[in-house]
Amino acid sequence: MILYRRIIEYTEKNKFYLNSNASIYDLTQSLNTNRTYISAALNQKGKTNFNDFINSYRINFVIQEFQKDIHKKYTLKVIYTSAGFVHQSQFNRAFKKVMGKSPREYLKDINS
């Protein structure tokens, strides 16, 4: 439980998820622990794995940007890359997994 809280605190304080190269190894180095402990904490307390954990933060960042109407000023690519995603397909899959709909469907719903 303590390690899980440390993971959350570090991720939120440092906006670790915005780094497109963010890896579990980087997290282990920053928290001075190992991959097994990080994975176990995420699995047991967060009911998730590292990739889904990071992607959920990235999607929440994108949703906040959408709520600020940033999508009216910038392309979707600018938004998802600023959130740490490298590929649109990766972003679309993660978005649909978290939100239950594609980014385009979500935008259509909030703009109507």
Side-chain angles (χ1 to χ4, degrees):
M1 185 64 167
I2 293 169
L3 179 57
Y4 183 70
R5 276 191 294 225
R6 286 180 58 213
I7 293 168
I8 299 292
E9 288 170 11
Y10 178 81
T11 301
E12 291 176 358
K13 180 181 176 188
N14 297 293
K15 297 189 183 220
F16 173 66
Y17 52 91
L18 296 179
N19 177 353
S20 62
N21 296 316
S23 71
I24 195 167
Y25 176 76
D26 297 330
L27 195 55
T28 63
Q29 296 299 300
S30 298
L31 297 179
N32 198 27
T33 187
N34 67 46
R35 180 185 185 108
T36 302
Y37 291 145
I38 297 262
S39 291
L42 289 173
N43 286 325
Q44 292 170 8
K45 299 298 178 189
K47 307 291 186 225
T48 190
N49 62 42
F50 177 78
N51 288 333
D52 289 345
F53 173 76
I54 291 298
N55 285 341
S56 69
Y57 273 95
R58 290 174 175 167
I59 296 303
N60 285 329
F61 176 84
V62 168
I63 296 297
Q64 289 172 5
E65 295 296 288
F66 286 166
Q67 291 171 347
K68 297 178 201 171
D69 286 335
I70 200 82
H71 60 284
K72 294 179 180 176
K73 297 176 189 171
Y74 299 100
T75 64
L76 192 56
K77 183 175 184 174
V78 169
I79 297 168
Y80 73 72
T81 55
S82 68
F85 289 102
V86 176
H87 304 287
Q88 186 169 359
S89 59
Q90 174 194 25
F91 165 65
N92 288 341
R93 273 192 307 276
F95 195 97
K96 189 157 190 162
K97 186 172 189 175
V98 172
M99 300 304 296
K101 56 180 83 174
S102 74
R104 301 247 183 247
E105 292 169 329
Y106 181 85
L107 286 172
K108 183 179 175 189
D109 288 349
I110 66 170
N111 287 326
S112 54

